[in-house]
Amino acid sequence: NAYPYWADIICDHLGMIWLTSYANGLYIINPQKETIKNILPNDKRNEKNLVLSLIEDQYHNIWMGSPGHISILDSSRQKIKKITRKQGLNINYPINFFEDSKGDMWTSSFAREINFVSLKNKTITTINANNGFTGMALAFTEDSNGGIWAIQKDTIFIFNQQRNAVKNLIINVKIIDPQTGDRGTFFSDKHGNMWVGSVDRGVLLIDSKGPLPENLDSKNGLIDNNVWGLVEDKNDNIWISTHRGLNIYDPHKNRLLLLSTKQGLGDDDVRKINEFDKDKIFVSTVSGFSIINTLKKTLNNYGKEQHLSKYNLMKSVKDDKNQLWLGSLNGIAIYDISKNYLKVINKSTGL
């Protein structure tokens, strides 16, 4: 296919796996019954069924971003509502979703605008150059004061709690590599600090209350300045993935640890990280993935025997059967945590 095989993957509150593919539309997978259903085949002629982004909100509605519109499937999975330009949605390709603490849904698009939808207030708000925003938001997060942060190349836009004012913070670091398309990441930690991963200057630390940003980079211990992923675990440790290994920052002891192939990691080229279970960290690499148990202090590598290096694992979700579903460019890898078993499903198996 001309595009990556999958676009997004989520697990809803019922344990169903929702998978959207650039090439083949929207699938629902039932892990209990082990069934796969293509509920929205993609129409390649006009892209009307192309789903670029997925999220389940706090009310269990499923939001689907498609060219020119957003579809909202209600919690009963019986009724679907479509929001288009007629209803006030000014969007072309919705590339991501973010739900804030108020229950409003934010989305960005290639149209260089931001929209947020309030189902409670039945309003749609567009933020663009008229409101002080320019560019395309690569990601969103919310700070401890209820402000929304949107990141765009080398600038962060901050919307106040009332959503009626915006200020920008020029950070002068690359969030996206223009040559490879690699993207950094950012999030707000438990103490309200913003962590911004860049592709050229390591990690930027920003106090949301106002002091100037600080850098955590190769000059002060980071293994590499190209940061792929950032995650805070339940013990407040910050996990930082790079192309040369995995750094772990312990804020309580103010120390930076290194985990690489020398310490048993499957590959030094680390991509995405997430804490999928209590004391368990998922780490994807170019050779497969690793599961790190922080309580038992164990590390297990998976994927070389299944040739997962060609799959480029990018996102993981956990279902009710204690399985990890790993989205990739060439299909889905499923890892059974309890049985320590890995299998791959793709076009040859009905996906």
Side-chain angles (χ1 to χ4, degrees):
N1 299 321
Y3 298 98
Y5 191 88
W6 72 284
D8 209 352
I9 181 172
I10 62 171
C11 180
D12 70 15
H13 73 290
L14 300 173
M16 305 292 283
I17 301 296
W18 296 69
L19 169 72
T20 177
S21 159
Y22 287 116
N24 300 314
L26 181 65
Y27 293 86
I28 295 182
I29 302 173
N30 187 325
Q32 298 290 339
K33 297 181 180 180
E34 297 185 348
T35 58
I36 302 173
K37 186 176 181 181
N38 189 193
I39 64 167
L40 197 62
N42 188 25
D43 186 338
K44 298 180 177 63
R45 293 170 297 178
N46 59 17
E47 297 183 327
K48 68 178 182 179
N49 289 345
L50 176 62
V51 179
L52 299 166
S53 48
L54 290 167
I55 193 173
E56 183 180 34
D57 66 23
Q58 58 185 286
Y59 308 107
H60 305 313
N61 302 305
I62 299 289
W63 295 63
M64 296 170 279
S66 299
H69 68 275
I70 291 173
S71 299
I72 306 172
L73 183 63
D74 75 350
S75 58
S76 70
R77 304 297 186 254
Q78 300 297 316
K79 298 179 181 179
I80 190 166
K81 178 181 180 180
K82 184 178 288 189
I83 303 176
T84 66
R85 188 176 292 272
K86 290 181 179 180
Q87 288 78 42
L89 186 70
N90 195 4
I91 203 167
N92 55 4
Y93 289 86
I95 58 174
N96 51 26
F97 285 117
F98 175 78
E99 184 180 14
D100 67 21
S101 58
K102 296 181 178 181
D104 295 341
M105 191 65 70
W106 296 67
T107 185
S108 178
S109 77
F110 295 128
R112 308 179 76 80
E113 295 177 327
I114 291 174
N115 289 265
F116 67 90
V117 181
S118 173
L119 294 182
K120 180 180 179 180
N121 298 326
K122 298 181 180 180
T123 59
I124 300 172
T125 304
T126 299
I127 301 173
N128 52 29
N130 296 328
N131 313 101
F133 174 79
T134 57
M136 180 180 67
L138 301 175
F140 299 94
T141 193
E142 185 171 2
D143 64 30
S144 56
N145 300 315
I148 300 297
W149 294 51
I151 200 163
Q152 183 264 333
K153 289 186 178 179
D154 62 352
T155 305
I156 295 176
F157 295 86
I158 307 169
F159 305 91
N160 66 354
Q161 190 177 32
Q162 292 72 35
R163 314 293 187 246
N164 57 13
V166 58
K167 65 178 180 179
N168 59 50
L169 175 64
I170 299 175
I171 54 179
N172 290 321
V173 299
K174 293 180 181 178
I175 306 302
I176 184 168
D177 189 324
Q179 301 297 323
T180 65
D182 294 352
R183 292 184 180 184
T185 182
F186 82 136
F187 77 101
S188 175
D189 69 18
K190 298 170 186 174
H191 304 288
N193 301 307
M194 288 292 168
W195 293 69
V196 182
S198 74
V199 298
D200 64 340
R201 289 181 58 190
V203 179
L204 200 65
L205 284 78
I206 307 172
D207 187 332
S208 60
K209 295 179 175 62
L212 294 175
E214 298 180 8
N215 266 91
L216 176 61
D217 55 24
S218 57
K219 294 179 182 179
N220 46 31
L222 200 66
I223 187 62
D224 189 72
N225 285 333
N226 190 341
V227 175
W228 262 84
L230 288 166
V231 165
E232 182 181 28
D233 67 22
K234 70 179 186 65
N235 296 314
D236 300 336
N237 297 309
I238 307 296
W239 296 67
I240 308 167
S241 65
T242 79
H243 288 281
R244 295 179 60 196
L246 183 65
N247 279 121
I248 306 163
Y249 174 67
D250 183 342
H252 302 296
K253 297 181 179 180
N254 193 28
R255 65 178 181 178
L256 192 65
L257 305 176
L258 172 65
L259 187 59
S260 67
T261 51
K262 292 180 180 180
Q263 290 78 35
L265 195 65
D267 198 290
D268 283 336
D269 198 344
V270 184
R271 301 304 173 94
K272 299 299 180 181
I273 328 163
N274 74 286
E275 188 176 31
F276 67 88
D277 208 350
K278 183 179 180 181
D279 303 313
K280 291 187 178 71
I281 305 292
F282 167 84
V283 179
S284 74
T285 72
V286 294
S287 298
F289 68 97
S290 301
I291 302 293
I292 301 171
N293 189 313
T294 57
L295 180 63
K296 296 181 178 179
K297 299 188 184 304
T298 59
L299 188 158
N300 294 294
N301 301 310
Y302 304 91
K304 286 190 176 181
E305 294 182 0
Q306 292 80 11
H307 306 291
L308 287 187
S309 58
K310 67 180 181 180
Y311 278 73
N312 195 5
L313 304 174
M314 295 301 294
K315 188 173 182 179
S316 64
V317 295
K318 183 186 173 188
D319 68 17
D320 292 342
K321 289 181 66 178
N322 208 29
Q323 297 180 133
L324 279 181
W325 291 72
L326 313 173
S328 79
L329 300 185
N330 298 315
I332 299 296
I334 308 167
Y335 171 62
D336 190 310
I337 301 167
S338 304
K339 298 178 181 177
N340 191 24
Y341 174 71
L342 182 69
K343 66 179 178 180
V344 174
I345 58 174
N346 50 29
K347 189 175 182 178
S348 63
T349 58
L351 183 63

